[in-house]
């Protein structure tokens, strides 16, 4: 997790650093990514980088979690549009990402996934996991549309949907596909 020093930076400098990191992680696999190239591209001193992030892994995790937050926000919107239908919202999320796989944030994510084939689907989750995401979205899920039989059914179902959707997207990213219709 970045330090408070990072969050106190001017927005332009923060975005410049993150853009340089996204470019580097999309250019080469994680293990070949260079903090030196990131700081040179961003135009910041090496010492400053280590005031913001513990190391390269900390920066990479923050970037992947930011993609996860973007996906979580979109899932919330889709849950609202689908009137709380959890299955429809996940299918719509997958379709939405597939449609935009070659543009903007999805393009960057696709390139990073393609360069990091060994990455696990959980890389997009915040450190608390799917349960924390579900807690934030729970009031948007129409529980009456689900046949929940135990106290853990919703959590288990949500976890399966998160990992199957992320896995399908990563599989598409790893093959270079447009993400296609792998979930349907």
């Amino acid at each position: 997790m970045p330090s408070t020093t990072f969050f106190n930076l001017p927005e332009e400098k923060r975005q410049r650093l993150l853009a340089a990191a996204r470019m580097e992680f999309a250019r080469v696999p994680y293990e070949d990514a260079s903090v030196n190239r990131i700081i040179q591209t961003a135009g910041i001193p090496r010492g400053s980088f280590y005031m913001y992030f513990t190391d390269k892994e900390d920066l990479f995790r923050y970037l992947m979690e930011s993609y996860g937050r973007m996906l979580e926000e979109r899932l919330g919107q889709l849950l609202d549009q689908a009137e709380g239908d959890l299955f429809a919202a996940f299918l719509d999320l997958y379709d939405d990402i597939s449609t935009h796989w070659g543009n903007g944030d999805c393009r960057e994510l696709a390139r990073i996934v393609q360069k990091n084939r060994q990455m696990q689907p959980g890389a997009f989750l915040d450190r608390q996991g799917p349960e924390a995401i579900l807690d934030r979205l729970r009031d948007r899920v129409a529980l009456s549309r689900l046949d929940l039989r135990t106290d853990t059914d919703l959590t288990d179902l949500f976890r399966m949907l998160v990992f199957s959707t992320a896995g399908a997207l990563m599989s598409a990213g790893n093959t270079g596909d447009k993400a296609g219709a792998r979930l349907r």
Side-chain angles (χ1 to χ4, degrees), residues 28-41:
V28 295
Y30 169 83
E31 54 275 351
D32 296 333
S34 164
V35 170
N36 281 337
R37 276 191 294 271
I38 292 169
I39 62 175
Q40 285 174 351
T41 302

Side-chain angles (χ1 to χ4, degrees), residues 1-181:
M1 186 68 166
S3 69
T4 54
T5 306
F6 174 76
F7 291 112
N8 289 330
L9 287 173
E11 180 68 17
E12 182 274 327
K13 188 171 185 178
R14 236 186 5 248
Q15 290 309 316
R16 194 172 66 230
L17 174 56
L18 294 175
R22 286 190 300 269
M23 187 182 337
E24 179 68 4
F25 291 125
R27 190 182 70 77
V28 295
Y30 169 83
E31 54 275 351
D32 296 333
S34 164
V35 170
N36 281 337
R37 276 191 294 271
I38 292 169
I39 62 175
Q40 285 174 351
T41 302
I44 63 166
R46 175 178 282 282
S48 294
F49 174 85
Y50 290 104
M51 288 177 59
Y52 310 145
F53 294 94
T54 306
D55 52 21
K56 177 174 75 171
E57 181 181 353
D58 192 30
L59 171 59
F60 185 76
R61 186 148 193 66
Y62 177 73
L63 278 177
M64 297 315 297
E65 289 176 0
S66 70
Y67 286 118
R69 286 187 300 277
M70 175 188 73
L71 296 173
E72 177 184 334
E73 182 178 314
R74 185 64 181 137
L75 178 60
Q77 294 166 349
L78 293 169
L79 274 166
D80 292 343
Q81 290 172 15
E83 298 177 352
D85 185 329
L86 190 61
F87 292 104
F90 267 96
L91 288 171
D92 290 345
L93 177 64
Y94 183 84
D95 289 345
D96 194 51
I97 294 168
S98 293
T99 300
H100 298 98
W101 199 238
N103 321 336
D105 290 333
C106 288
R107 180 184 61 233
E108 290 175 350
L109 175 57
R111 288 181 182 159
I112 291 171
V113 168
Q114 288 169 349
K115 293 294 181 185
N116 294 280
R117 298 181 190 282
Q118 80 290 356
M119 190 168 41
Q120 298 298 312
F124 303 102
L125 302 177
D126 67 21
R127 295 165 209 263
Q128 298 166 344
E131 294 80 9
I133 297 168
L134 176 58
D135 286 345
R136 291 187 292 270
L137 296 175
R138 184 179 305 269
D139 63 333
R140 296 162 109 168
V141 175
L143 299 177
S144 62
R145 296 183 132 177
L146 301 170
D147 182 15
L148 302 175
R149 299 174 187 181
T150 71
D151 292 341
T152 63
D153 281 355
L154 179 60
T155 302
D156 294 341
L157 177 62
F158 191 81
R159 179 180 280 279
M160 286 188 299
L161 290 169
V162 165
F163 282 106
S164 62
T165 302
L169 289 169
M170 292 189 69
S171 175
N174 286 339
T175 61
D177 292 347
K178 185 186 167 201

